[in-house]
Structure formats: structure tokens, C-alpha cells
Amino acid sequence: MAIHLPDHFKCPISLEIMSDPVILSSGHTFERSSIQRWLDAGHRTCPITKLPLPEHPSLIPNHSLRSLISNYALLAPIHHTISQPETLISTLASPSSPLDSKIDALRHLTRLSKRDSAFRRRLADSAAVPALLAAVDHPALQDKALPLLLNLSLDDDSKVGLVAEGVVARVVAVLRRPAASPDSRAVAATIVTSLAVVEVNKATIGAFPAAIGALVAILRDGKGRERKEAATALYALCSFPDNRRRAVDCGAVPILFRNVEIGLERGVEVIGVLAKCKEGREQMEGYENCVHILARVLRNGSSRGVQYALLALTSLCFYSQQMVLVALEEGVLEASIGFVEDDNEKVRRNACNLVRVLRGTNNHNRVR
């Protein structure tokens, strides 16, 4: 049974109780993830008033409403019925439970596990995981099951066990499923990122058939948020060297550059990592305007984008005199010099390394 909270506690977009309410410049409040998806889709009007918004709308946390929702839920008379996880797990696991009851159980378990690490560990060690994985496989339950699975993946002690339970197969199936919602694919990619925090999982996930290919496919065909989360997951996996070659083999390089060209700066981070392997550099050298795109990030990108553009250019120029010549023509040396005293230590270090390579201080850039 659900908690009945006042209607103004519900997001006008998702119609669900808000956990992270934010105020738009129009004065209306939304769940952060819902309004962010609206904005990521390219909308620049308020969903309620239809009035225009600024190019980069601010989302101001509505702390007072968040506190009201939290306090109301804690004081609600029915709260004692949702504080017994065994009942919820039993509902989720039972084949005879109605679909609505399973959806309700997933919602409550997700809310209870969101901020309580002890509760998450308790769930991860219980019969909840097999039932949860079955829910991920169920089209009608998938959207509610994935956020709970993400919550369980947040604790380092549970990450390896979840992979052993078969989470990767379920997550990859969601990533590859044409009928899955963009939100589901985005959450599935975020689960990959979370699991890949543990080094052994990077190798396990990367070796799983179609895992990296599914992320690359989302970068090619997906929408705003799911592409961003796919790039983040790919970056996490590609800190493991074998996965860099797998990503290159899946055609990641040209797809990443196309994403960077249309504004997905997170793709630069993956490019910076892939440039560490020979196969990645060869693909980049063969991509028209590769250096031009990275040089544009140096001029217009965020600090993190600049950091990885410098890293990629250093790798390319270190091993290729042709790349050095192209970089010099694009004004990369002058741009790099501008970062040698940057406040960001990583930007500063990468800029100094690139300047040395472009000035010929290093002699390895003639040898592959």
C-alpha cells in the first residue's frame, strides 16, 4: 500500500513523490531528474507555463519542500508497514504477488535504500537480489527495479557479489533492448559505472559479450542523458587497458568524436584514455579533423574537458610527427602555453607535457 502524500509533493512531470525537488526560474518545482531530462531533450520552456527559459536554466534546490516531504513520510501512519523489508522482499519474490504490489515494493525498497548503507548491505545479502534481477527482466517492472539495483551497487562490499549474481547480463540486456526507455538505459549505464569502481569488475564487465559494444551503440544512437551516462561508463571501463582495445574494435573513436562535435564533452575523457593505446591513436589519426576538434575543446571546453584534450593531444603528438605538424597549424602550442600556469594541477601538468612534445623536447614522437 502506498503512502498518500499531498499532490503538491508530486513532480508535475513524473507525477511521483519528489525526493530532490528543485525550483525552475519560472517558479515551479520539479523532481531534479525529471526536469533535467526535459532540459536535456532540448526544451527551453517551462513544462507548466510554456514560457521561455534562459539558455542555461538554473535548478535551485527546494530545501523547505524536501524537508516537508521527508517529515510527512516519516510521520505517516502507514510508515510502520513499509519499515519491514522482509515483507517487501517477500512481495517482490512471490510469483503470486500482483504487479501493482511488486511495483509498490520496489518503490519502497528504493526509497529506504537510497541513503541507508546498512540497509543496502542487508538487501544485497538477502533473497532480494534474485527477485530484483527477475524484476529487471520484466518489462513492466524494469523502470522501477533498475534504480533499486543502482542503490545496491553503491557499496563497494556489494559490487563483486552483484556481478557474481549475474547483474552484468541483466544490465547489458537493458542497454541492448530497443524497447527499453532512455531512462532505463541511462540507469543501466550508471550501474556499469558504479560496478566498475572495483578493479576486478572492470575486467569482468569488459570481457562480457556485447557490454562495451552496447555502450558504444548508445553513444551512436541514444539521447542526451543516456549518451552522457554511456560515455561515463565507457570511461570507467577503459581505465583497464584491455577494454581500450575492445572499445576501439567496437568503433568507439569516430562515434566519440562525433559526440564531442555536438557538445558531449564527456566524450573527450574517453578519447583521452583511448589515446593511450596504439589502436586508439591509429583510429584517431585517421579521423578527419581529429586535432581540430581537440583544439576547439582547448579553446572552449571546461577544465576537465581541457585536461583530457591535452592528454589525448600529448599521446598523439608523442608518437606521430604528422600529428605534431597538424597541432602546430591548429595553434595547439599557443593554447597549451596558456594553460601551463592554470589553477588545476592536472591541466597544468598535461599542458607542460604537451608543450615539451610540440617543442621537440621529447625525441620519441618519431617512433611508434
Side-chain angles (χ1 to χ4, degrees):
M1 220 180 141
I3 296 176
H4 297 290
L5 301 180
D7 285 344
H8 68 278
F9 286 6
K10 298 178 181 179
C11 172
I13 297 176
S14 68
L15 302 181
E16 294 188 354
I17 302 303
M18 292 181 281
S19 61
D20 188 8
V22 293
I23 306 169
L24 201 57
S25 56
S26 64
H28 291 278
T29 296
F30 304 87
E31 174 66 20
R32 182 185 294 276
S33 60
S34 296
I35 191 62
Q36 190 63 60
R37 286 194 296 273
W38 172 267
L39 298 173
D40 287 345
H43 300 291
R44 285 300 176 268
T45 58
C46 172
I48 294 178
T49 66
K50 307 302 181 186
L51 294 175
L53 298 171
E55 180 61 27
H56 301 289
S58 298
L59 301 179
I60 303 168
N62 192 334
H63 295 299
S64 59
L65 181 57
R66 181 173 180 171
S67 178
L68 280 173
I69 294 171
S70 177
N71 290 337
Y72 194 104
L74 289 172
L75 294 172
I78 197 154
H79 181 67
H80 69 279
T81 67
I82 66 167
S83 62
Q84 302 299 325
E86 292 80 7
T87 302
L88 297 172
I89 294 169
S90 177
T91 298
L92 189 60
S94 174
S96 61
S97 296
L99 191 62
D100 287 349
S101 297
K102 291 192 175 190
I103 290 173
D104 204 43
L106 285 167
R107 283 175 174 160
H108 290 319
L109 288 169
T110 300
R111 185 171 68 81
L112 292 169
S113 65
K114 190 170 186 179
R115 296 182 180 87
D116 189 337
S117 59
F119 184 74
R120 289 197 295 268
R121 286 193 292 273
R122 181 179 172 189
L123 280 181
D125 293 336
S126 72
V129 174
L132 177 56
L133 295 183
V136 171
D137 291 338
H138 195 297
L141 297 175
Q142 190 173 89
D143 284 352
K144 302 300 179 188
L146 285 166
L148 176 55
L149 185 56
L150 175 60
N151 286 356
L152 296 191
S153 76
L154 296 176
D155 293 301
D156 288 353
D157 291 342
S158 301
K159 295 181 192 294
V160 174
L162 287 172
V163 169
E165 290 270 9
V167 166
V168 178
R170 267 49 176 237
V171 168
V172 172
V174 175
L175 293 172
R176 300 183 68 195
R177 183 170 169 247
S181 69
D183 283 350
S184 288
R185 285 194 291 267
V187 175
T190 307
I191 292 170
V192 172
T193 302
S194 178
L195 294 173
V197 167
V198 177
E199 199 67 23
V200 68
N201 283 351
K202 290 178 171 52
T204 304
I205 298 169
F208 191 90
I212 288 177
L215 294 170
V216 173
I218 290 176
L219 280 170
R220 183 188 63 226
D221 304 323
K223 302 184 185 301
R225 182 183 169 220
E226 57 182 327
R227 285 192 296 115
K228 189 181 297 183
E229 297 300 338
T232 303
L234 203 56
Y235 172 80
L237 291 174
C238 288
S239 65
F240 182 69
D242 286 354
N243 290 339
R244 296 169 197 162
R245 290 186 288 274
R246 291 179 176 123
V248 173
D249 289 343
C250 289
V253 169
I255 291 170
L256 285 164
F257 273 108
R258 287 198 291 273
N259 272 274
V260 173
E261 286 188 279
I262 61 174
L264 184 65
E265 193 177 79
R266 196 159 293 180
V268 184
E269 300 174 21
V270 190
I271 289 169
V273 176
L274 296 186
K276 293 182 177 182
C277 74
K278 179 174 180 283
E279 296 84 354
R281 292 191 298 272
E282 289 174 347
Q283 291 263 324
M284 292 176 199
E285 290 172 29
Y287 188 82
E288 188 177 6
N289 293 329
C290 157
V291 175
H292 175 76
I293 294 167
L294 294 172
R296 192 169 63 193
V297 175
L298 293 186
R299 291 189 292 270
N300 305 316
S302 68
S303 180
R304 190 166 174 85
V306 167
Q307 173 190 332
Y308 282 92
L310 289 166
L311 181 65
L313 285 164
T314 301
S315 295
L316 289 167
C317 294
F318 187 82
Y319 288 98
S320 170
Q321 178 63 16
Q322 179 60 35
M323 289 290 99
V324 171
L325 297 175
V326 175
L328 292 174
E329 289 175 3
E330 289 284 348
V332 170
L333 177 58
E334 292 79 6
S336 301
I337 290 172
F339 291 112
V340 296
E341 296 183 0
D342 193 84
D343 292 338
N344 185 309
E345 190 273 333
K346 291 180 179 178
V347 169
R348 196 164 61 242
R349 183 176 67 240
N350 289 353
C352 290
N353 290 339
L354 182 52
V355 168
R356 282 195 292 269
V357 171
L358 293 176
R359 284 177 168 171
T361 306
N362 292 322
N363 297 318
H364 299 80
N365 60 356
R366 313 297 190 273
V367 182
R368 246 190 215 282

mmCIF file of all heavy atoms in Angstrom, residues 257-279:
data_model
loop_
_atom_site.group_PDB
_atom_site.id
_atom_site.type_symbol
_atom_site.label_atom_id
_atom_site.label_comp_id
_atom_site.label_asym_id
_atom_site.label_seq_id
_atom_site.Cartn_x
_atom_site.Cartn_y
_atom_site.Cartn_z
ATOM 1 N N PHE A 257 34.189 11.170 -31.314
ATOM 2 C CA PHE A 257 34.487 12.473 -31.902
ATOM 3 C C PHE A 257 33.217 13.161 -32.394
ATOM 4 O O PHE A 257 33.060 14.376 -32.240
ATOM 5 C CB PHE A 257 35.500 12.336 -33.045
ATOM 6 C CG PHE A 257 36.928 12.380 -32.568
ATOM 7 C CD1 PHE A 257 37.719 11.233 -32.562
ATOM 8 C CD2 PHE A 257 37.489 13.562 -32.111
ATOM 9 C CE1 PHE A 257 39.033 11.266 -32.119
ATOM 10 C CE2 PHE A 257 38.794 13.610 -31.660
ATOM 11 C CZ PHE A 257 39.577 12.458 -31.660
ATOM 12 N N ARG A 258 32.294 12.395 -32.966
ATOM 13 C CA ARG A 258 31.033 12.997 -33.415
ATOM 14 C C ARG A 258 30.233 13.522 -32.226
ATOM 15 O O ARG A 258 29.591 14.579 -32.304
ATOM 16 C CB ARG A 258 30.205 11.972 -34.205
ATOM 17 C CG ARG A 258 30.775 11.704 -35.596
ATOM 18 C CD ARG A 258 29.740 11.047 -36.494
ATOM 19 N NE ARG A 258 29.430 9.679 -36.093
ATOM 20 C CZ ARG A 258 30.104 8.613 -36.501
ATOM 21 N NH1 ARG A 258 31.150 8.739 -37.317
ATOM 22 N NH2 ARG A 258 29.741 7.400 -36.102
ATOM 23 N N ASN A 259 30.296 12.794 -31.097
ATOM 24 C CA ASN A 259 29.614 13.261 -29.892
ATOM 25 C C ASN A 259 30.239 14.541 -29.350
ATOM 26 O O ASN A 259 29.530 15.451 -28.902
ATOM 27 C CB ASN A 259 29.629 12.167 -28.824
ATOM 28 C CG ASN A 259 28.457 11.215 -28.933
ATOM 29 O OD1 ASN A 259 27.383 11.472 -28.405
ATOM 30 N ND2 ASN A 259 28.658 10.115 -29.654
ATOM 31 N N VAL A 260 31.553 14.615 -29.383
ATOM 32 C CA VAL A 260 32.230 15.822 -28.914
ATOM 33 C C VAL A 260 31.855 17.001 -29.808
ATOM 34 O O VAL A 260 31.626 18.122 -29.322
ATOM 35 C CB VAL A 260 33.758 15.614 -28.878
ATOM 36 C CG1 VAL A 260 34.475 16.922 -28.546
ATOM 37 C CG2 VAL A 260 34.129 14.539 -27.853
ATOM 38 N N GLU A 261 31.771 16.758 -31.105
ATOM 39 C CA GLU A 261 31.415 17.831 -32.042
ATOM 40 C C GLU A 261 30.033 18.406 -31.770
ATOM 41 O O GLU A 261 29.790 19.590 -32.013
ATOM 42 C CB GLU A 261 31.480 17.316 -33.477
ATOM 43 C CG GLU A 261 32.897 17.133 -34.007
ATOM 44 C CD GLU A 261 32.909 16.807 -35.490
ATOM 45 O OE1 GLU A 261 32.697 15.624 -35.828
ATOM 46 O OE2 GLU A 261 33.108 17.729 -36.287
ATOM 47 N N ILE A 262 29.115 17.575 -31.256
ATOM 48 C CA ILE A 262 27.760 18.073 -30.991
ATOM 49 C C ILE A 262 27.573 18.443 -29.517
ATOM 50 O O ILE A 262 26.448 18.651 -29.074
ATOM 51 C CB ILE A 262 26.686 17.059 -31.433
ATOM 52 C CG1 ILE A 262 26.816 15.731 -30.671
ATOM 53 C CG2 ILE A 262 26.745 16.823 -32.933
ATOM 54 C CD1 ILE A 262 25.693 14.744 -30.954
ATOM 55 N N GLY A 263 28.680 18.520 -28.783
ATOM 56 C CA GLY A 263 28.610 19.081 -27.441
ATOM 57 C C GLY A 263 28.734 18.140 -26.268
ATOM 58 O O GLY A 263 28.657 18.582 -25.116
ATOM 59 N N LEU A 264 28.925 16.822 -26.490
ATOM 60 C CA LEU A 264 29.084 15.891 -25.370
ATOM 61 C C LEU A 264 30.553 15.878 -24.950
ATOM 62 O O LEU A 264 31.337 15.032 -25.384
ATOM 63 C CB LEU A 264 28.624 14.483 -25.749
ATOM 64 C CG LEU A 264 28.668 13.457 -24.605
ATOM 65 C CD1 LEU A 264 27.685 13.816 -23.505
ATOM 66 C CD2 LEU A 264 28.401 12.052 -25.105
ATOM 67 N N GLU A 265 30.902 16.816 -24.096
ATOM 68 C CA GLU A 265 32.305 16.967 -23.711
ATOM 69 C C GLU A 265 32.838 15.755 -22.971
ATOM 70 O O GLU A 265 34.037 15.487 -22.980
ATOM 71 C CB GLU A 265 32.472 18.229 -22.857
ATOM 72 C CG GLU A 265 33.927 18.641 -22.687
ATOM 73 C CD GLU A 265 34.066 19.917 -21.897
ATOM 74 O OE1 GLU A 265 33.966 19.852 -20.662
ATOM 75 O OE2 GLU A 265 34.268 20.973 -22.519
ATOM 76 N N ARG A 266 31.930 15.007 -22.332
ATOM 77 C CA ARG A 266 32.377 13.818 -21.600
ATOM 78 C C ARG A 266 33.071 12.822 -22.529
ATOM 79 O O ARG A 266 33.884 12.020 -22.094
ATOM 80 C CB ARG A 266 31.174 13.172 -20.904
ATOM 81 C CG ARG A 266 31.546 12.183 -19.829
ATOM 82 C CD ARG A 266 30.418 11.966 -18.857
ATOM 83 N NE ARG A 266 30.137 13.155 -18.081
ATOM 84 C CZ ARG A 266 29.183 13.243 -17.155
ATOM 85 N NH1 ARG A 266 28.414 12.200 -16.912
ATOM 86 N NH2 ARG A 266 28.992 14.349 -16.477
ATOM 87 N N GLY A 267 32.738 12.885 -23.816
ATOM 88 C CA GLY A 267 33.415 12.024 -24.773
ATOM 89 C C GLY A 267 34.899 12.286 -24.855
ATOM 90 O O GLY A 267 35.678 11.388 -25.202
ATOM 91 N N VAL A 268 35.325 13.515 -24.553
ATOM 92 C CA VAL A 268 36.754 13.850 -24.589
ATOM 93 C C VAL A 268 37.513 13.036 -23.546
ATOM 94 O O VAL A 268 38.669 12.654 -23.760
ATOM 95 C CB VAL A 268 36.978 15.358 -24.341
ATOM 96 C CG1 VAL A 268 38.460 15.714 -24.470
ATOM 97 C CG2 VAL A 268 36.166 16.190 -25.306
ATOM 98 N N GLU A 269 36.863 12.773 -22.411
ATOM 99 C CA GLU A 269 37.518 11.992 -21.368
ATOM 100 C C GLU A 269 37.839 10.583 -21.876
ATOM 101 O O GLU A 269 38.920 10.050 -21.613
ATOM 102 C CB GLU A 269 36.618 11.923 -20.134
ATOM 103 C CG GLU A 269 36.296 13.282 -19.545
ATOM 104 C CD GLU A 269 35.285 13.213 -18.421
ATOM 105 O OE1 GLU A 269 35.132 12.125 -17.826
ATOM 106 O OE2 GLU A 269 34.638 14.238 -18.141
ATOM 107 N N VAL A 270 36.902 9.997 -22.596
ATOM 108 C CA VAL A 270 37.128 8.652 -23.128
ATOM 109 C C VAL A 270 38.208 8.702 -24.204
ATOM 110 O O VAL A 270 39.081 7.830 -24.276
ATOM 111 C CB VAL A 270 35.832 8.053 -23.699
ATOM 112 C CG1 VAL A 270 36.031 6.563 -24.023
ATOM 113 C CG2 VAL A 270 34.676 8.212 -22.723
ATOM 114 N N ILE A 271 38.176 9.722 -25.052
ATOM 115 C CA ILE A 271 39.200 9.882 -26.097
ATOM 116 C C ILE A 271 40.582 9.980 -25.464
ATOM 117 O O ILE A 271 41.547 9.374 -25.944
ATOM 118 C CB ILE A 271 38.893 11.123 -26.962
ATOM 119 C CG1 ILE A 271 37.660 10.858 -27.836
ATOM 120 C CG2 ILE A 271 40.094 11.499 -27.828
ATOM 121 C CD1 ILE A 271 37.119 12.090 -28.525
ATOM 122 N N GLY A 272 40.675 10.736 -24.367
ATOM 123 C CA GLY A 272 41.961 10.876 -23.686
ATOM 124 C C GLY A 272 42.507 9.543 -23.211
ATOM 125 O O GLY A 272 43.717 9.294 -23.275
ATOM 126 N N VAL A 273 41.620 8.660 -22.743
ATOM 127 C CA VAL A 273 42.049 7.337 -22.270
ATOM 128 C C VAL A 273 42.379 6.422 -23.453
ATOM 129 O O VAL A 273 43.384 5.694 -23.428
ATOM 130 C CB VAL A 273 40.956 6.706 -21.380
ATOM 131 C CG1 VAL A 273 41.351 5.296 -20.968
ATOM 132 C CG2 VAL A 273 40.714 7.557 -20.143
ATOM 133 N N LEU A 274 41.550 6.449 -24.499
ATOM 134 C CA LEU A 274 41.793 5.575 -25.660
ATOM 135 C C LEU A 274 43.076 5.949 -26.397
ATOM 136 O O LEU A 274 43.685 5.104 -27.049
ATOM 137 C CB LEU A 274 40.606 5.632 -26.620
ATOM 138 C CG LEU A 274 39.268 5.098 -26.096
ATOM 139 C CD1 LEU A 274 38.225 5.084 -27.208
ATOM 140 C CD2 LEU A 274 39.416 3.706 -25.496
ATOM 141 N N ALA A 275 43.482 7.212 -26.299
ATOM 142 C CA ALA A 275 44.725 7.642 -26.960
ATOM 143 C C ALA A 275 45.957 7.019 -26.322
ATOM 144 O O ALA A 275 47.057 7.103 -26.876
ATOM 145 C CB ALA A 275 44.833 9.167 -26.924
ATOM 146 N N LYS A 276 45.784 6.359 -25.185
ATOM 147 C CA LYS A 276 46.918 5.702 -24.535
ATOM 148 C C LYS A 276 47.296 4.398 -25.229
ATOM 149 O O LYS A 276 48.382 3.868 -24.996
ATOM 150 C CB LYS A 276 46.588 5.418 -23.065
ATOM 151 C CG LYS A 276 46.443 6.663 -22.208
ATOM 152 C CD LYS A 276 46.158 6.276 -20.764
ATOM 153 C CE LYS A 276 46.078 7.500 -19.870
ATOM 154 N NZ LYS A 276 45.841 7.133 -18.451
ATOM 155 N N CYS A 277 46.383 3.860 -26.061
ATOM 156 C CA CYS A 277 46.713 2.598 -26.736
ATOM 157 C C CYS A 277 46.970 2.844 -28.224
ATOM 158 O O CYS A 277 46.409 3.766 -28.832
ATOM 159 C CB CYS A 277 45.613 1.555 -26.535
ATOM 160 S SG CYS A 277 44.099 1.812 -27.467
ATOM 161 N N LYS A 278 47.832 2.028 -28.801
ATOM 162 C CA LYS A 278 48.261 2.178 -30.191
ATOM 163 C C LYS A 278 47.071 2.136 -31.150
ATOM 164 O O LYS A 278 46.955 2.954 -32.068
ATOM 165 C CB LYS A 278 49.256 1.063 -30.527
ATOM 166 C CG LYS A 278 49.786 1.063 -31.956
ATOM 167 C CD LYS A 278 50.866 0.003 -32.086
ATOM 168 C CE LYS A 278 51.438 -0.056 -33.498
ATOM 169 N NZ LYS A 278 50.548 -0.751 -34.437
ATOM 170 N N GLU A 279 46.151 1.190 -30.899
ATOM 171 C CA GLU A 279 44.985 1.049 -31.782
ATOM 172 C C GLU A 279 44.111 2.297 -31.746
ATOM 173 O O GLU A 279 43.580 2.741 -32.771
ATOM 174 C CB GLU A 279 44.157 -0.171 -31.365
ATOM 175 C CG GLU A 279 44.877 -1.502 -31.514
ATOM 176 C CD GLU A 279 45.770 -1.864 -30.326
ATOM 177 O OE1 GLU A 279 45.933 -1.021 -29.406
ATOM 178 O OE2 GLU A 279 46.297 -2.986 -30.304
#
